[in-house]
Structures are given as C-alpha cells and as structure tokens.
Amino acid sequence: MPEQPELRDHGPGPGPSSGHALVVRGFTLARGHWFTEHLHPAHQLAWCRSGLLTVRTTGGTWLLPPSMALWIPAHTPHATGATSATQMRSPYIEPAHCPVTWTEPTVVAVPPLLRELIGHLSLTDLEELARARAEAVLFDLLRPVPARDIALTWPTDPRARLVADSLHADPADGRALAGWASLAGASARTLARLFTAETGIGFGRWRERLRVQEAMPHLACGRSVESTAHRVGYASTSAFIAAFRRTVGLTPGQFFG
C-alpha cells in the first residue's frame, strides 16, 4: 500500500448539498489501487458490486466479496483498496438520520434484496417518500455476521522476513521451519521465536492466515474451493475449509454466498 498522507476528514458522503440522509457513490478501482488512510463525517457501508475489496482500520483488516460489506462508523480512520478489479457502490449515511448505532467496524451480509436496494438508492430521480421507504428497508436489512478480520503482521527480522516473503510468493510451500533454517540462516527454534514475537502468532497460524488471504481472490473470481485449496497448499478440500473457518469465522460457501 502506498505511503499514507496526513490523515484528513474527507469523503464523498452526503451533506447539505445532497439534501438526503443517504447517498450512494460509485467508484471503479483497478487491482492494487488504494484510497489511502482517511476519514469522513458520514457513516459508510463499504461494498463492492464485483471484485474483492480490502478495508484496513486500526481494528483490523477485512477482505470483502460482493456478498459482504463493512459498516464503517463516521470519523473512523480507514484505507480502502482493490485486491482485484473492483466496482464499489458505497452508501454514505448522515449520522443524525441513521438508526444504526454501531460504534465499531462491523461486517454485514449483502443478500440480493440489499444489493438491489443499494442500486435503487443510487438513482437520482427518486421521489422523497420512495427514497425514505427504501432507506428504511435498507437499514432493516443490515445484519452483522461473525466474520473476523484477517490482519496479518509481517515480521521485520530479515531471517523471518525471508521466510514470510518466500511463502507469500508460493503459499503452497509446505516446508516446516526446520526446512527453512539453512536458507534463512537461523535455527527452527529461532525462527519460531521471531514469528511469535514479531507477528503475535505462531508460524503455523501465520502461514494459515496468509494462505486464506491468498485464496480470497481466487474464490472471488469463481475458482472452485477444491482448486483453490490445492493452489494455496492444502492436500484436501476439508482441511482448507477448516482453516478458512478458523481464520474468517465462516466457511468459503457462507462467506462468498
């Protein structure tokens, strides 16, 4: 992600000029494009109509396919990027007119009706009563799901970093730490200590989380769970599904709808 600029309060949310409690803004993002860290005075429902969206806050990192969105409370610093080519369609809501009281970023499911409502509310010629009814239904449909953030801290020690970078290049590499020792110039015990001390989790858990992150774009573009599992280093589909659920809190089928 590019270097962060000075944090500022900005964003394309609703304001006095919109005259509405909720407006929907659209953005087309190429893969790798980021809106660097910022905040804005409106609540945001970060959602993509296609692709895979990444949102980072101080509280975590979320990867979001079209079946999921992230509620971002007003004035919450966050950065948003496209893990794959993405079409964002984000509602922005004036806090004074919002019945949702969540104070932390919250993942919600996006069923077909919510998806259609977001598209409906992007129209600029809706009558006021029709818009108010649609907004009320949208708020009623916001339901939290137990999806966890999948933030991954990279080690900074050059020996552990070499292992991490190598796994990022090839997440299917199944070597245990003893197999990395000669290449990294450190014993397996030292590498294990470095991963725990610098990332907050053990090496096995770190690699599992990396593999799930690397699997997300493949699943988002329609690759089968079985094919994705083998691609990121799992010998069986069931082992991959179990790892995905431990990391995300949902199975791939639940998460990608």
Side-chain angles (χ1 to χ4, degrees):
M1 194 170 70
E3 183 179 353
Q4 304 291 355
E6 181 181 357
L7 187 63
R8 59 192 185 280
D9 193 43
H10 76 87
S17 60
S18 74
H20 301 137
L22 180 154
V23 296
V24 178
R25 302 298 189 199
F27 314 92
T28 299
L29 305 181
R31 179 181 178 182
H33 180 83
W34 279 84
F35 294 121
T36 51
E37 190 172 65
H38 63 284
L39 50 84
H40 35 68
H43 302 312
Q44 179 186 1
L45 186 65
W47 176 68
C48 64
R49 188 171 66 180
S50 64
L52 188 64
L53 190 67
T54 303
V55 181
R56 292 173 178 165
T57 75
T58 55
T61 299
W62 291 266
L63 272 69
L64 305 164
S67 56
M68 297 287 165
L70 184 70
W71 179 268
I72 305 173
H75 305 293
T76 299
H78 61 282
T80 306
T83 301
S84 63
T86 299
Q87 288 186 318
M88 285 187 69
R89 293 293 182 272
S90 280
Y92 293 81
I93 304 100
E94 284 282 10
H97 302 287
C98 180
V100 178
T101 58
W102 301 329
T103 58
E104 300 292 335
T106 303
V107 178
V108 300
V110 182
L113 180 55
L114 180 53
R115 179 188 181 107
E116 293 302 319
L117 273 171
I118 293 172
H120 181 63
L121 285 165
S122 68
L123 301 175
T124 58
D125 58 352
L126 287 178
E127 295 182 357
E128 289 304 312
L129 288 178
R131 174 175 289 277
R133 289 193 296 267
E135 289 175 356
V137 176
L138 182 146
F139 292 133
D140 283 344
L141 290 174
L142 296 182
R143 295 287 185 271
V145 294
R148 304 174 188 137
D149 80 275
I150 58 171
L152 188 63
T153 301
W154 232 254
T156 57
D157 183 280
R159 296 164 294 179
R161 183 63 183 248
L162 185 149
V163 177
D165 289 343
S166 298
L167 285 171
H168 184 249
D170 181 13
D173 192 318
R175 278 180 285 181
L177 281 177
W180 291 102
S182 60
L183 179 65
S187 68
R189 183 175 181 178
T190 296
L191 290 173
R193 177 180 57 78
L194 287 170
F195 266 91
T196 301
E198 297 191 349
T199 73
I201 54 179
F203 170 74
R205 188 72 185 92
W206 190 94
R207 179 167 59 186
E208 180 177 87
R209 185 167 288 203
L210 172 71
R211 285 175 166 176
V212 169
Q213 283 195 4
E214 292 300 305
M216 289 276 198
H218 300 294
L219 294 170
C221 73
R223 189 182 296 273
S224 71
V225 173
E226 181 180 13
S227 172
T228 300
H230 293 308
R231 192 181 188 94
V232 298
Y234 288 92
S236 71
T237 303
S238 59
F240 170 69
I241 292 173
F244 193 99
R245 186 165 193 167
R246 279 193 299 271
T247 301
V248 179
L250 301 166
T251 67
Q254 292 169 329
F255 190 75
F256 287 91

